[in-house]
Amino acid sequence: MSASQTSDVPTLLVKIFGKDRPGITAGLFDTLAAYSVDVVDIEQVVTRGRIVLCALVTQPAGSTEGELRATVHSWAESLKMQAEILSGTGDNRPRGSGRSHVTVLGHPLTAESTAAIASRITATGGNIDRIFRLAKYPVTAVEFAVSGCETEPLRTALATAAAHIGVDVAVVSAGLHRRAQRLVVMDVDSTLIQDEVIELFAAHAGCEAEVAEVTERAMRGELDFEQSLHARVKLLAGLDASVVDKVRSEVRLTPGARTLIRTLKQLGYQVGVVSGGFTQVTDDLQERLGLDFASANTLEIVDGKLTGRVTGEIVDRAGKARLLRRFAAEAGVPLAQTVAIGDGANDLDMLNAAGLGVAFNAKPVVREAAHTAVNVPFLDAVLYLLGVTREEVEAAGLT
């Protein structure tokens, strides 16, 4: 029976709640089957071993409703459960136009912050249709299905609320595209890895402090990236090329990086990196992690020594956005279905160009400009923003 056919048909909402055990769902519908009712809707939730099972069914024919009620109550009592049966008409009311998925990450997720998010959704004109937990560790991640308001104003309202209450919130529009093939492109330094690669090189050249100062100013957007890059690389002149292998061995992946990439690949996503660092490191990461795309600056090496110069096209703020578009075209993925992850000011164009831009433990200017921010130290938390559950992450790790 279609939704239009049940719009004015008498229906019964049957609610069963109590201790969960195998066979409850089958038992309820076996009981209802004796009365030849049609199933209009089903919802079941299990929380800490307690089940709430709701079945919306058509009213039984003739005068057997009273018998159905008595039979269901008797069946529930035999299992030491409770039953509630409510009469009504039709199905659920139609959802409002404009549907979004709101993912909230907390470490921990408090009642106060949950109340604030729910209140802001209501104030924006949205209705929470369903809530589902995606993960309980290493962060608590829950997803709200929201209808009744458009995605962009909801995203803006919740971004402001999230900044004040200390949780991470992502808002994406609902639809088939959410599970479609995607391209995920991330920055490398302080995103995919914990280090700034040029600082690792600088440590071997004895100019780490000087380079780190220039790097920090560039990431805050206080210096032109290309000028700062040339200034820092110049300090590396004369280093033996053997230092490349040493730096590769010193690179530390961000916690959750391998899990993120492994899970994305299992889901059929394509993954790439763009970096203001150097191909001498990103090429190695591409091979080790099975990345589909990688692009960075290249340190010039002549006669076994670093010259203090870079060769080829500079990967700067604008360059990262161009590479995102190039990777998307090569992958056959619409730009709206791309995800970009970064932490610095030179990632902003890329984050804004992507369908979803994620600021990962980012500088304030980046957090304020990105679509959403993740401020926990686990890179795989980004998976929850895509609607991937912790169980799916763990399953990907077993294959």
Side-chain angles (χ1 to χ4, degrees):
M1 186 177 293
S2 68
S4 60
Q5 290 175 308
T6 61
S7 60
D8 56 358
V9 171
T11 51
L12 299 177
L13 175 59
V14 181
K15 297 173 62 179
I16 305 296
F17 38 97
K19 184 178 179 180
D20 187 31
R21 73 203 73 179
I24 290 175
T25 305
L28 173 62
F29 285 98
D30 278 342
T31 303
L32 294 172
Y35 299 91
S36 300
V37 297
D38 294 334
V39 177
V40 180
D41 197 4
I42 308 172
E43 190 83 24
Q44 178 174 305
V45 177
V46 178
T47 304
R48 211 182 65 181
R50 309 292 291 183
I51 187 173
V52 178
L53 170 60
C54 297
L56 185 65
V57 299
T58 54
Q59 190 179 63
S63 58
T64 59
E65 180 182 335
E67 182 182 339
L68 180 151
R69 287 174 176 268
T71 302
V72 169
H73 279 287
S74 177
W75 168 80
E77 288 172 5
S78 72
L79 297 176
K80 297 183 180 179
M81 303 184 76
Q82 294 178 279
E84 182 180 8
I85 303 176
L86 303 173
S87 300
T89 302
D91 197 350
N92 302 311
R93 61 183 176 84
R95 295 180 183 179
S97 61
R99 298 182 187 178
S100 304
H101 296 286
V102 176
T103 306
V104 182
L105 307 182
H107 189 56
L109 181 62
T110 66
E112 181 181 10
S113 59
T114 305
I117 293 296
S119 296
R120 187 60 62 94
I121 290 172
T122 301
T124 312
N127 183 72
I128 300 172
D129 300 318
R130 184 172 297 175
I131 304 174
F132 176 74
R133 187 178 71 182
L134 295 167
K136 60 182 178 181
Y137 69 92
V139 298
T140 301
V142 295
E143 179 177 288
F144 296 76
V146 177
S147 62
C149 60
E150 297 302 320
T151 298
E152 285 304 321
L154 180 61
R155 178 184 284 163
T156 300
L158 291 180
T160 303
H164 284 110
I165 62 181
V167 296
D168 300 331
V169 179
V171 182
V172 297
S173 59
L176 291 175
H177 64 275
R178 195 176 188 217
R179 284 291 187 177
Q181 184 189 55
R182 288 191 178 188
L183 168 69
V184 177
V185 176
M186 66 191 89
D187 173 45
V188 175
D189 293 8
S190 299
T191 301
L192 177 64
I193 66 174
Q194 300 177 58
D195 313 282
E196 292 288 333
V197 167
I198 197 166
E199 293 179 11
L200 297 180
F201 277 100
H204 292 280
C207 56
E208 185 177 14
E210 188 174 355
V211 165
E213 180 183 356
V214 179
T215 299
E216 183 63 25
R217 293 180 64 193
M219 291 299 98
R220 291 197 302 262
E222 298 173 4
L223 293 176
D224 172 80
F225 178 81
E226 183 171 353
Q227 291 178 339
S228 70
L229 175 67
H230 289 304
R232 290 174 292 172
V233 171
K234 187 176 181 179
L235 297 170
L236 307 181
L239 270 180
D240 192 275
S242 62
V243 77
V244 169
D245 289 334
K246 296 177 182 178
V247 167
R248 286 175 173 176
S249 68
E250 292 166 352
V251 165
R252 301 167 299 162
L253 292 174
T254 298
R258 287 187 183 276
T259 301
L260 171 67
I261 294 169
R262 180 183 63 236
T263 306
L264 291 173
K265 299 293 287 182
Q266 286 285 337
L267 291 172
Y269 288 26
Q270 297 188 62
V271 185
V273 294
V274 291
S275 177
F278 310 110
T279 57
Q280 282 82 359
V281 171
T282 58
D283 288 351
D284 180 60
L285 289 170
Q286 182 176 17
E287 182 177 352
R288 287 166 50 196
L289 300 174
L291 302 173
D292 299 285
F293 305 98
S295 188
N297 301 300
T298 299
L299 291 168
E300 184 181 63
I301 298 175
V302 176
D303 296 330
K305 301 287 185 181
L306 274 65
T307 66
R309 295 187 295 270
V310 292
T311 62
E313 181 183 4
I314 297 297
V315 179
D316 57 6
R317 175 169 170 167
K320 288 187 174 185
R322 285 196 303 271
L323 287 164
L324 171 70
R325 294 186 175 94
R326 183 188 305 170
F327 293 168
E330 293 178 12
V333 174
L335 201 60
Q337 289 172 212
T338 61
V339 180
I341 311 168
D343 75 299
N346 63 331
D347 297 316
L348 275 174
D349 289 3
M350 176 178 72
L351 297 181
N352 290 328
L356 177 64
V358 181
F360 180 72
N361 291 314
K363 313 299 185 291
V365 65
V366 183
R367 289 200 304 268
E368 292 168 7
H371 297 140
T372 189
V374 171
N375 295 302
V376 296
F378 314 108
L379 192 56
D380 55 337
V382 173
L383 290 165
Y384 308 136
L385 307 184
L386 306 179
V388 181
T389 67
R390 187 68 201 179
E391 288 79 8
E392 290 171 321
V393 173
E394 292 173 350
L398 297 175
T399 57

